[in-house]
Amino acid sequence: MGKVVAVTGNEAVANALRQADPDVCSLYPITPQTDIVQRFSSFVANGQVQTELLNAESEHSAMSAAIGAAAGGGRVITATSSQGLALMWEMLHIASGMNLPIIMPLVNRALSAPLNIHGDHSDGMGARDTGWIQLWSENAQEAYDNTIMSFRIGEHTDIRLPIMVCMDGFIVSHSIARMEYLEDDEVKKFIGPYQKVNPLLDLEHPKSFGPLILTDLYHEYKRLQHEIMGRVKNVVLQVSDEFGKLSGRKYGLFESYRLEDAEIALVILNSAAGTSKDVVDELRDKGIKAGLLKPRLFRPFPYVEVGQALKHLKAVCVMDRADSFGGYGPMFMEISSAMYQADGEGRKPKLINKIYGLGGRDYMPHDARKVLLELNEIAKGAPVGAVKEYIGVRE
Amino acid sequence: METRELLKWSAQVKLREKSKQEVRFEHGHRMCAGCGAPTVVKMVLMATEYPVVVSNATGCLEVSTCIQDYTAWKTPWIHTAFENAAATLSGVETMYRALLKKGKMPENVKFIAFGGDGGTYDIGLQSLSGAMERGHDMLYVCYDNGAYMNTGIQRSSATPLGADTTTSPAGSANPAGKLQVRKDLTRIMGAHGIYAAQASPSHWLDLMTKVKKAHQIKGAKFINIIAPCNRGWRTATDNSIELSRLAVETCYWPLYEIEDGKLKVTVVPEEKKPADMFFKPQGRFKHLYSPGNEGMLQRIQAEIDRTWERLLKESEQAC
């Protein structure tokens, strides 16, 4: 039985990393993630883990060193936010291209300019195409659970991929919430020992990592990455199922909240999903059939399953805490793709896109209520106005 | 290893014998005929009498020695990107220490990063400085050919004053080529409080002794080695050793080392040759010998003289 505590998201994640006791932690500070690597450094200093700490001089080097360490043949962690992830961008592709299971909490924060340290999803969405697995988390409990599961998922020998565990900067990382820890030995047993695959530090069998591959085989190499990504879904489900048996907490590819008999729904990530669920309940009490879908596995995106879960609805609003300027919000593009491919009787929900909460702008129950009521009108036949619209804007 | 033992090793080492030892950088790679870099790599590995793990920055050496299905490296070898050979290797070395601590690795494994001057002086300087400051037990070797040769001879901060490159071309408005003096990277690395040295393949024993010495020191080490590039220098394909010798004898490329903050010149040419002897055979300096560029030649000679005098003075003071 786990221990119930009141901790911040950062503390919860730092403890998950402590319980995993990785071989190497390569780190660089950045708000709001810093708290994680600070806490982890004290675990090292106090002998609570056997980890070797590497204080890099930038996030680019932190990720480069994480890649070198992971290629070496052991368990590797790092953590970042925002500009840090942006600086790592080049190396993110190299980590996934080399099939290195690096575990990286990403405490979501807005990107400059203008400079802003608060939570939004621009960083994680910007890393969408880097070949990393992404798990998103609503609260400290989910961030903790996802971090523990991420070792099993990323290191799974069917896939061997780097993985980022996302949670909202400040809203979750710095807020104290009730959650439950697993016991250290339970986590150790669940994660298990690190399995080496072609380690660089096998001196008897020298290997070359990172060759030049031109037009003859690059295309095939990338298709292989695509195929490996195709196996992730099953690994996530299998690991989540096993974790559910251990913890009593069930996780799937996404969370469906009052969705089965709903007519309208929000698709929304992370902490704002919690706020929205309260409003769904409130509207249900008034007889409005509202529901919610909260994606968890964003990369690879479970198009078929999401399409199935949403296709019976009359109207859906995809809420994006990031923007693709000149395009729709990044989550909206995924949901549109999922719905276009979804099989059905030709009837598909009307889709709208709201951009909310950039740079940590509060997302309040009245925001969710307003959007759901607009959806309710659309479901009754009202015309869709702007497909994409910013909400919560100070005019 | 004590200095005396190192001297003994130097006195006994025979290049002919060394060349019979197991080759860990194989022939068959695709470096240009006459390139100085593979010679440098071979000499460094010959002086490395330990298991070794190599990291390589993107560049000529990297793209020509490991192409899908083929590798010239008989050592564990990793390339990730351009600016981070040091950071990447620092990660490998850290994992090595983590595994060594758990009894999963043998003792005395050496770590060497190779980068060209672009990947070291310019884009990789931060990564290099960070890894050296952290004190990873590794040796960083810069093979300095004085420009971004892999992408087609663009100016780097290692490009010598007056050189004509594709991004510092000599033209009608600027007949001089590169207008700035090169960055003194070896001394910058020496300022990190680490073992830092400058070497040349023409002086193979000096080079190998420095590598041997570097491996005896626990912590971060840096060696900067001149590596002529006949494509970029516009020279013949049979004189890379001759040119690197002239670089030393003209004092354009002084051979010295910095240890515990003390600088020591390791090779003093019997007769300091005029800079022209190194500059004139190279096509990249041809324009300097056209009328109007006399001032540049004087400035180049003055720079060399000033640097050399300062090195000698510091070396004498340290003795």
Side-chain angles (χ1 to χ4, degrees):
Chain A
M1 184 54 201
K3 188 177 158 198
V4 175
V5 291
V7 294
T8 64
N10 276 347
E11 185 173 352
V13 167
N15 268 301
L17 298 174
R18 176 186 58 75
Q19 291 175 315
D21 196 1
D23 293 298
V24 171
C25 168
S26 132
L27 66 93
Y28 191 80
I30 185 168
T31 305
Q33 167 281 127
T34 313
D35 191 24
I36 295 178
V37 296
Q38 273 178 198
R39 286 176 188 277
F40 196 84
S41 301
S42 69
F43 297 146
V44 174
N46 294 320
Q48 290 166 276
V49 288
Q50 286 187 280
T51 312
E52 286 291 328
L53 213 55
L54 190 154
N55 277 275
E57 82 297 333
S58 72
E59 286 92 353
H60 192 283
S61 283
M63 184 48 63
S64 301
I67 290 168
R75 186 167 282 154
V76 179
I77 61 161
T78 183
T80 196
S81 292
S82 179
Q83 306 303 123
L85 187 73
L87 188 56
M88 284 179 183
W89 192 79
E90 174 189 34
M91 300 316 295
L92 296 177
H93 289 260
I94 293 170
S96 61
M98 286 184 168
N99 283 92
L100 300 172
I102 296 160
I103 308 303
M104 179 164 72
L106 173 68
V107 185
N108 298 113
R109 169 186 143 180
L111 286 169
S112 288
L115 177 62
N116 179 301
I117 57 167
H118 289 279
D120 77 28
H121 303 157
S122 309
D123 50 4
M125 291 297 158
R128 184 190 68 179
D129 302 335
T130 57
W132 283 57
I133 299 168
Q134 287 189 352
L135 290 176
W136 293 70
S137 328
E138 181 181 324
N139 49 38
Q141 183 75 66
E142 289 191 10
Y144 170 81
D145 291 348
N146 279 337
T147 303
I148 289 169
M149 280 183 265
S150 69
F151 288 92
R152 285 285 303 279
I153 296 166
E155 292 174 11
H156 198 288
T157 47
D158 281 358
I159 53 177
R160 303 293 285 192
L161 284 174
I163 177 163
M164 49 185 95
V165 175
C166 308
M167 68 166 159
D168 285 344
F170 289 106
I171 301 164
V172 174
S173 69
H174 285 64
S175 303
I176 293 174
R178 179 201 179 278
M179 60 151 302
E180 193 178 312
Y181 282 137
L182 294 168
E183 296 294 344
D184 288 0
D185 56 347
E186 285 179 320
V187 176
K188 192 178 174 188
K189 200 173 151 208
F190 178 78
I191 294 179
Y194 183 81
Q195 283 177 275
K196 291 182 187 188
V197 177
N198 295 323
L200 178 69
L201 284 169
D202 177 358
L203 304 172
E204 303 302 313
H205 306 93
K207 288 167 198 75
S208 294
F209 272 67
L212 174 74
I213 302 184
L214 297 176
T215 46
D216 45 359
L217 282 168
Y218 181 88
H219 196 57
E220 286 68 21
Y221 201 91
K222 291 293 143 182
R223 185 184 62 175
L224 189 60
Q225 265 182 272
H226 156 75
E227 285 173 358
I228 292 169
M229 265 293 188
R231 300 178 206 147
V232 171
K233 196 171 72 185
N234 283 341
V235 172
V236 170
L237 289 173
Q238 182 196 319
V239 172
S240 302
D241 184 54
E242 228 179 286
F243 186 81
K245 284 175 188 143
L246 172 69
S247 66
R249 294 184 288 275
K250 302 241 174 292
Y251 289 94
L253 303 174
F254 51 86
E255 182 191 339
S256 297
Y257 187 75
R258 306 189 80 162
L259 201 56
E260 276 165 30
D261 64 337
E263 291 180 347
I264 58 170
L266 299 181
V267 175
I268 189 161
L269 276 172
N270 279 16
S271 65
T275 310
S276 304
K277 284 181 215 169
D278 281 352
V279 180
V280 165
D281 291 345
E282 175 197 310
L283 294 187
R284 282 277 179 169
D285 291 344
K286 290 178 182 163
I288 296 171
K289 289 190 168 177
L292 179 146
L293 186 146
K294 181 186 77 184
R296 176 185 179 227
L297 181 67
F298 182 72
R299 275 293 175 274
F301 195 80
Y303 292 100
V304 175
E305 293 81 355
V306 169
Q308 281 296 114
L310 296 177
K311 69 175 188 184
H312 65 283
L313 294 158
K314 289 183 177 166
V316 173
C317 179
V318 183
M319 306 289 289
D320 269 294
R321 203 166 203 156
D323 197 359
S324 171
F325 303 101
Y328 293 118
M331 183 62 83
F332 183 85
M333 294 193 242
E334 303 302 349
I335 301 300
S336 297
S337 301
M339 299 323 296
Y340 193 80
Q341 301 296 337
D343 54 350
E345 296 89 53
R347 191 181 62 81
K348 285 183 179 147
K350 299 272 186 203
L351 287 185
I352 56 171
N353 185 201
K354 305 288 186 198
I355 310 291
Y356 75 100
L358 299 186
R361 169 62 48 85
D362 280 336
Y363 173 77
M364 305 300 280
H366 63 79
D367 294 313
R369 195 176 302 121
K370 201 173 161 196
V371 173
L372 281 163
L373 290 174
E374 183 184 338
L375 280 180
N376 199 36
E377 293 306 309
I378 292 170
K380 285 184 200 160
V384 170
V387 175
K388 174 186 167 187
E389 189 184 31
Y390 274 61
I391 62 165
V393 182
R394 295 169 65 183
E395 300 293 355
Chain B
M1 190 185 282
E2 295 296 318
T3 312
R4 205 184 314 156
E5 283 179 59
L6 195 66
L7 287 172
K8 206 167 134 193
W9 180 87
S10 298
Q12 285 171 351
V13 69
K14 298 271 186 293
L15 192 55
R16 194 183 298 271
E17 292 302 313
K18 282 260 119 205
S19 63
K20 285 181 194 159
Q21 104 188 12
E22 187 205 358
V23 177
R24 290 183 289 182
F25 179 68
E26 273 289 1
H27 54 79
H29 57 71
R30 305 183 198 181
M31 299 292 273
C32 301
C35 170
T39 311
V40 165
V41 172
K42 279 196 170 182
M43 287 184 176
V44 169
L45 291 181
M46 271 183 204
T48 305
E49 293 156 327
Y50 306 90
V52 62
V53 179
V54 172
S55 145
N56 213 164
T58 308
C60 290
L61 180 66
E62 172 268 323
V63 297
S64 305
T65 59
C66 184
I67 303 167
Q68 177 71 20
D69 297 337
Y70 298 94
T71 184
W73 300 91
K74 287 180 139 180
T75 68
W77 178 90
I78 183 166
H79 155 253
T80 64
F82 192 12
E83 67 278 57
N84 60 354
T88 302
L89 194 65
S90 78
V92 182
E93 187 267 350
T94 306
M95 180 56 77
Y96 168 72
R97 277 187 285 113
L99 299 177
L100 181 68
K101 187 165 75 178
K102 292 172 185 170
K104 296 175 181 173
M105 287 299 297
E107 303 257 3
N108 275 324
V109 177
K110 300 296 177 190
F111 295 85
I112 305 178
F114 288 103
D117 51 280
T120 307
Y121 284 67
D122 286 352
I123 199 169
L125 182 61
Q126 175 188 310
S127 157
L128 172 62
S129 174
M132 299 291 109
E133 182 273 333
R134 291 193 295 274
H136 296 279
D137 190 17
M138 60 183 266
L139 166 63
Y140 191 104
V141 175
C142 173
Y143 66 98
D144 182 344
N145 51 29
Y148 292 87
M149 299 308 186
N150 189 43
T151 43
I153 321 165
Q154 290 82 32
R155 166 223 201 269
S156 78
S157 59
T159 300
L161 176 66
D164 171 87
T165 72
T166 56
T167 53
S168 63
S172 54
N174 168 29
K178 192 191 176 216
L179 296 170
Q180 301 81 17
V181 292
R182 48 198 307 283
K183 187 188 282 178
D184 195 347
L185 183 65
T186 308
R187 289 171 67 98
I188 292 170
M189 298 324 294
H192 284 67
I194 60 167
Y195 177 78
Q198 205 154 277
S200 164
S202 55
H203 294 67
W204 64 269
L205 185 57
D206 177 75
L207 186 157
M208 286 199 202
T209 306
K210 282 168 178 164
V211 173
K212 180 90 185 161
K213 187 172 184 174
H215 286 318
Q216 307 310 320
I217 299 166
K218 185 106 179 137
K221 287 86 58 172
F222 173 83
I223 304 182
N224 201 359
I225 307 179
I226 193 168
C229 164
N230 53 64
R231 300 282 300 128
W233 291 17
R234 277 165 273 154
T235 50
T237 55
D238 62 353
N239 59 358
S240 68
I241 300 301
E242 192 183 317
L243 282 169
S244 48
R245 174 166 289 113
L246 283 169
V248 175
E249 290 174 350
T250 56
C251 299
Y252 164 78
W253 190 264
L255 302 183
Y256 64 94
E257 61 186 9
I258 303 169
E259 195 180 359
D260 299 326
K262 287 180 187 163
L263 188 147
K264 186 180 152 204
V265 172
T266 55
V267 173
V268 180
E270 280 179 27
E271 177 203 354
K272 181 169 170 258
K273 295 182 171 159
D276 271 357
M277 291 184 74
F278 174 62
F279 280 68
K280 211 165 184 179
Q282 301 182 44
R284 61 177 171 159
F285 300 117
K286 194 179 165 196
H287 59 288
L288 297 180
Y289 296 89
S290 300
N293 265 335
E294 297 81 3
M296 277 300 281
L297 285 170
Q298 284 164 12
R299 195 178 153 202
I300 287 166
Q301 185 66 63
E303 268 306 320
I304 290 173
D305 293 347
R306 192 180 61 83
T307 309
W308 177 242
E309 291 306 320
R310 195 172 76 163
L311 284 175
L312 279 183
K313 203 171 160 190
E314 281 185 45
S315 187
E316 279 161 18
Q317 279 169 355
C319 284

